[in-house]
Amino acid sequence: MSAPLLSLNEVTRTYTSRKGLFGTPVAVQAVAGVSLEVRPGETLGIVGESGSGKSTMGRMALGLEAPDSGSVRFDGAAMPDPGSESWRSLRKRAQMVFQDPLGALDRRLPVADQIGEPLEIHGIGDKAARAAAIARSLEMTGLSADHGRRFPHELSGGQRQRVIIARALITDPELLVCDEPVSALDVSIQAQVVNLLIDLQAERGLAMIFISHDLRVVRQISQRVAVMYLGHIVEEGTAEEVLRDPQHPYTRALVSAAPVPGARQRQRVILTGEPPNPAARPSGCAFHPRCPLATDRCRAEMPVLTRLAPGRRAACHLIQHTPAGMAAK
Amino acid sequence: MAGPLIRIEGLRVAFDGAPAVRGVDFAIHRGEALGIVGESGSGKSVTWLAALRLLPEKAVVEGRVSLDDDNLLEAPIERMEHLRGGRIGMIFQDPASALNPVLTIRRQMAEALALHRGLSGKSIDAEARRLLDLVGIPDAAGRLKSYPHEMSGGQNQRVMIAMALAGNPDLLIADEPTTALDVTIQAQILDLLQLVRRETDMALVLISHDLGVVAENCDRVAVMYAGRVVEEAPARTLFEAPRHPYTRGLIDALPTLDAPRRLVAIPGVVPDPRRMPPGCAFSPRCAHAAPACLGAVPELRRLEPGRRIACARAAELDLQPAATALPAETARPEVRA
Ligand SMILES: Nc1ncnc2c1ncn2[C@@H]1O[C@H](COP(=O)(O)OP(=O)(O)OP(=O)(O)O)[C@@H](O)[C@H]1O
Ligand SMILES: Nc1ncnc2c1ncn2[C@@H]1O[C@H](COP(=O)(O)OP(=O)(O)OP(=O)(O)O)[C@@H](O)[C@H]1O
Ligand code: SF4
Ligand SMILES: [Mg+2]
Ligand SMILES: [Mg+2]
């Protein structure tokens, strides 16, 4: 077993936001104590409701934002402060791919120039070496030299997303954080990008954090999955285990709600109640207002993320109560 | 069997000379749910916006849309205004544009209830509360006083559904009604639409880019590509045995919750409407394209009862699922914690 490339230890992050111009500021705890590890060459999928803290967690994993408490370690060393010299050199080794490829690109520059940007920023290589690296990055992501000469709006959505991936890969990073990288793409194009990420990961031993609200894509690409709800991880395990045999009631609802053609007679767990509001976290288990199994204990006491089996964790009182079989049916 | 509730025939729409819809036919019966899927830009929304006369002036629309004996494309605009929000409810793709930001939810709902249901005073409030309850908005009475910006995206989406249902529609056109929502909320809303449909015998047109959503919620599914319907079949049949290469491609590209497999992407991109390839619009991306495909545009032909396909080679092709093994799986490191 290799040492983790990235580890988050009890990280928290709270934002203060104001409702309306003169409203009183409210504290929103976006990430409320998350610990996780990513090993070299491994893909960790992160799923969860909108607002559950996935993107915030991803930014902290890259050191783009410092946690309010807790710690982030990359390759055994503490994450340097954002903007510092050592932080800048670390950026080469860990890169981010965002959801909106058009927003992440400059419309006035040919995409090849933008793919080479990280090399300039980090002062890597001379002109010829950079050109060679750009050509390699284009090829690796299935783009031609001609694509490289085009402007962003002259490419399709899938091609633009490849440009973003090509740019993220050009410094030969060890970790890639992908935040909803295929959500804006059509199914037929989405498959191109998903395959590309899987291949790159296998060929280059990349470690990846893959954030998505689409369980089906996460299943496709991840070895391990963590499920977030209101700033906490509520379940974690191999993709196979978590999605075939979910333990936490929220994961169960999520899995049963994933629309699948050809599986019409499935039993579904339809949740009632409102989507979670991070500014008004419920007492006890944050999921209790929507949980079909909630008891008094769930309303009063917060369940801790407990180890169920090697590599398998869940945070639910009902699961803890049956330590022998992980079966809160 | 009674005739269809609504029938679209030979619908064509062009913007500034660029065709967006290139000859579309649909017939929908009472109580039926028709799903429409297809690539972004394939004309799913424009088809129904045209049928309801909601496109800007510059759109050139041809064809016929019959509801009862009327051709909606030629009906007086007052009649259209009466139908929209009345017999035909609509949920639009972009929720922000559909609710008026300066009016309370009550005001917006009251308008629809007065116009289409002839309600007034107290009965408006009662009915508005019932509708908000129905779509699962807690504290409906309190929420009537809210403005759209005071509610979450998911709540506004549900208010729009409540408003679309306010006129007791015979037909509900739901354009990506759940795309912006989380899957657990999405499941809640789709469930609700099914319930209303069963209770009121309402017909439903569900436009979605998600084949899974459409498969689970519709009786019949039409697949659109580049402004035309390329295949239409009962939902089950379509997903079990697609007969158009584009439909096959969509299904092979779809990730599932089962064991990972190599997704099969469709190469290339959709054609530019101003530079349509000759013959079948899918031919540049189709693995089965043959000279026969490059002649005339393939007609949407009925090959079996209830099943239409627009492919020049439909009769001879036997489309098997793409190889499902995932070669990369062996290469991917098995990670144990
Ligand atoms: N810069 C910020 N300022 C104030 N609040 C923020 C900020 N960034 C995030 N938040 C809040 O923190 C919570 C978590 O946000 P985050 O973007 O991490 O969620 P997410 O899981 O990525 O959601 P989504 O699926 O919608 O992208 C949300 O309530 C969000 O409004
Ligand atoms: N008002 C308009 N003016 C000009 N072109 C338009 C207009 N509305 C739509 N179009 C074009 O018509 C074509 C069909 O668009 P439509 O909105 O029907 O696609 P769609 O299938 O609904 O796609 P999506 O899945 O992205 O919603 C597109 O090429 C679009 O750019
Ligand atoms: S008509 Fe030809 S090109 Fe078009 S889908 Fe059929 S086989 Fe493919
Ligand atoms: Mg996010
Ligand atoms: Mg649309």
Side-chain angles (χ1 to χ4, degrees), chain A residues 49-56 59 99 179-180 211-212:
Chain A
E49 214 94 343
S50 179
S52 58
K54 305 183 295 295
S55 299
T56 306
R59 288 193 300 270
Q99 167 171 359
D179 195 351
E180 305 272 8
I211 299 172
S212 175

Side-chain angles (χ1 to χ4, degrees), chain A residues 51-75:
Chain A
S52 58
K54 305 183 295 295
S55 299
T56 306
M57 202 278 298
R59 288 193 300 270
M60 290 193 291
L62 283 182
L64 297 175
E65 227 173 87
D68 298 329
S69 66
S71 64
V72 180
R73 297 179 79 80
F74 185 85
D75 199 10

Side-chain angles (χ1 to χ4, degrees), chain B residues 244-245 280 282-283 286 288-290 293 298 311-313 317:
Chain B
H244 192 285
C280 170
F282 186 58
S283 59
C286 181
H288 305 279
C293 309
C311 167
R313 302 190 61 201
L317 289 179

Side-chain angles (χ1 to χ4, degrees), chain B residues 15 20 39-46 56 58 93 176:
Chain B
F15 298 99
E39 212 96 347
S40 177
S42 58
K44 305 182 295 295
S45 301
V46 165
K58 68 168 179 182
Q93 194 166 359
E176 306 272 8

